[in-house]
Amino acid sequence: MKKVFAVLLTAVLLLVPCAVGASAEGALNEYEQQVIDVLSGTVSKNGSDFQIPVEYINQAKAYFLTIDMTEAQSQEIIGYINEGAELVEAQDFPAGTTVNFSSFSSAVKQELLALGQSACEVVGLTLTYDGSNVVIKDGATTVFNASPIVKTTGASADMTAAVATAGIVLVVLGAAFIVAKKARLFVK
Amino acid sequence: MVYLVPFAFALLGYLMLSPIISMARDTWKLIAMTETQSQAEENLFTGKVFYEGDTIASSTIQFPRFGNQYGVLSIEGTNVDAPLYFGDDDAYLRKGLGQYAGSSFPGMGSTILIGGHNNTYFRDLKSAKVGAKITVDTNYGTYVYEIERMEVLRHNDKSAFDLASETENIVLYTCYPFNMLGLTPQRYFVYGKLVSGPRILLDQ
């Protein structure tokens, strides 16, 4: 479900850059707030409630603070959100099931991704989905990322892979040398 | 059999060296990026801002986008004094501290989540003490937080912080143990409550 709504969120973010003369500064205007309110809503299905994760909404809010949205854009964006929500609601899951993007059929996944991708292309944003993560970019600039919240922030993040790999290479080198020597490959 | 050894070695070497090559390539990208900064990597922070009001209109603030440095974070009694970026991708964590983009900005009344590497910019996070001040100088004002507690938790512990909090607070984290060689599932979290700084009025 998280990935689903992440895709839905893309439909939101997609249309935002349509704003002519978007300002890098800005309050959260009423139209942006309307979108935030819709994103913050709850969808009930079979006794389970589904919500877009707050971290996704916060990313949308952070992006909205750098642009200015018009009423027309807001209404169109909300339309996209509702369309996606209807598609999700149409899917049938047993009560209490934890639903995420992978829970849907391939056809539904494709439909949701196509919705997001098409909307992205209209305004020059790109949506990428590698099977586990959704990233939306405005050119080279990321505007949304569904990656894990807490990152790897240790020395291991930079060095362990290299050190371990170097160690393995040395072991392989040593083993290759031993084998080659036993096979008298070095004999003149 | 012996003729297979060099082939096997070459194949293993390729597979094993790929992470190093990838890291070298990413490092080169980082070097190249710093030489030709795109707008997304613009530094919004040009020095300490002295703002005396209790509130600040959101419309007067230039909010950062991914990759923008928009502040500096320092911790009293430690050597932590580092650039603060919006976004916490690897590229930004190599240059400073990274605010998780799904968390709040200082002044917005919720949780600010900031990560940093334990061998660089958060190397001395371990020296932080309860009661010490965390100062976040941003491009729109200065915020001070007081450290309340520290905890060691798993990286995916949902109780570690609340991104929907309606009380402004700051959460700093880095990998733990600090000197462990290897990927670790634990993080060292430092929690602070707001002491001072202008409240952002999002509707103005």
Side-chain angles (χ1 to χ4, degrees):
Chain A
M1 181 55 68
K2 283 190 177 182
K3 300 304 182 201
V4 170
F5 281 106
V7 174
L8 295 179
L9 188 56
T10 69
V12 171
L13 297 176
L14 297 178
L15 294 178
V16 166
C18 280
V20 175
S23 171
E25 302 173 353
L28 212 59
N29 67 35
E30 62 180 293
Y31 312 121
E32 292 160 351
Q33 189 59 54
Q34 288 172 4
V35 174
I36 294 294
D37 290 343
V38 172
L39 288 172
S40 302
T42 301
V43 175
S44 296
K45 175 81 173 182
N46 291 338
S48 297
D49 292 333
F50 304 104
Q51 288 183 303
I52 293 178
V54 64
E55 58 266 27
Y56 292 5
I57 296 175
N58 286 342
Q59 290 188 63
K61 191 183 296 185
Y63 184 62
F64 291 170
L65 288 171
T66 66
I67 52 89
D68 286 319
M69 188 183 298
T70 67
E71 181 178 9
Q73 291 165 343
S74 173
Q75 292 305 308
E76 191 168 0
I77 289 168
I78 291 173
Y80 272 97
I81 296 173
N82 291 335
E83 185 177 342
E86 288 173 5
L87 177 60
V88 171
E89 278 188 281
Q91 309 310 307
D92 188 29
F93 293 99
T97 303
T98 298
V99 178
N100 54 41
F101 190 66
S102 62
S103 305
F104 296 104
S105 67
S106 294
V108 172
K109 287 181 192 175
Q110 289 302 318
E111 196 170 341
L112 289 170
L113 287 173
L115 173 68
Q117 189 64 56
S118 297
C120 281
E121 288 173 355
V122 168
V123 293
L125 288 182
T126 57
L127 179 157
T128 57
Y129 177 61
D130 62 4
S132 62
N133 189 31
V134 171
V135 177
I136 302 171
K137 290 193 173 187
D138 178 3
T141 304
T142 301
V143 298
F144 174 84
N145 192 328
S147 61
I149 298 173
V150 175
K151 307 303 188 293
T152 300
T153 50
S156 58
D158 291 331
M159 293 303 298
T160 296
V163 171
T165 300
I168 292 172
V169 170
L170 286 174
V171 169
V172 172
L173 268 174
F177 175 78
I178 292 172
V179 171
K181 192 171 182 183
K182 284 190 175 178
R184 298 177 183 274
L185 291 181
F186 298 131
V187 175
K188 291 184 181 177
Chain B
M1 171 62 185
V2 296
Y3 296 106
L4 289 177
V5 170
F7 173 76
F9 171 71
L11 179 61
L12 277 173
Y14 171 76
L15 294 173
M16 300 303 178
L17 287 174
S18 288
I20 297 179
I21 295 172
S22 176
M23 188 176 72
R25 184 178 61 228
D26 289 344
T27 302
W28 170 250
K29 280 184 185 176
L30 181 59
I31 295 171
M33 280 164 55
T34 56
E35 292 176 351
T36 54
Q37 284 194 333
S38 67
Q39 181 181 4
E41 296 165 6
E42 176 186 358
N43 180 1
L44 301 183
F45 182 74
T46 57
K48 195 177 181 71
V49 172
F50 295 94
Y51 186 86
E52 296 183 350
D54 293 331
T55 61
I56 181 170
S58 176
S59 59
T60 65
I61 299 172
Q62 184 176 4
F63 285 96
R65 292 192 176 191
F66 272 73
N68 288 157
Q69 181 196 343
Y70 78 101
V72 171
L73 185 149
S74 59
I75 304 177
E76 183 181 41
T78 75
N79 292 324
V80 175
D81 187 354
L84 176 62
Y85 289 85
F86 181 63
D88 51 5
D89 289 356
D90 287 344
Y92 313 142
L93 292 179
R94 289 195 182 108
K95 296 192 292 183
L97 305 174
Q99 176 197 334
Y100 173 57
S103 67
S104 178
F105 286 109
M108 284 178 62
S110 189
T111 301
I112 305 117
L113 180 64
I114 297 171
H117 283 304
N118 63 4
N119 62 332
T120 55
Y121 299 97
F122 264 166
R123 180 197 300 269
D124 204 28
L125 184 63
K126 58 182 176 289
S127 300
K129 300 279 191 294
V130 172
K133 301 295 190 289
I134 301 168
T135 301
V136 183
D137 290 304
T138 73
N139 62 314
Y140 53 89
T142 294
Y143 293 82
V144 178
Y145 305 85
E146 180 180 310
I147 295 176
E148 294 186 290
R149 72 184 196 284
M150 294 77 155
E151 290 192 44
V152 174
L153 299 167
R154 289 184 65 86
H155 68 96
N156 56 357
D157 187 331
K158 295 188 187 303
S159 70
F161 45 81
D162 178 11
L163 295 177
S165 174
E166 296 182 351
T167 301
E168 179 146 339
N169 67 98
I170 192 167
V171 181
L172 312 178
Y173 74 88
T174 193
C175 278
Y176 181 87
F178 302 116
N179 57 355
M180 180 172 175
L181 184 64
L183 296 174
T184 169
Q186 293 182 309
R187 302 292 181 271
Y188 184 75
F189 290 95
V190 175
Y191 300 88
K193 63 179 180 182
L194 179 68
V195 173
S196 65
R199 179 166 53 92
I200 297 175
L201 302 175
L202 288 176
D203 57 351
Q204 295 185 16

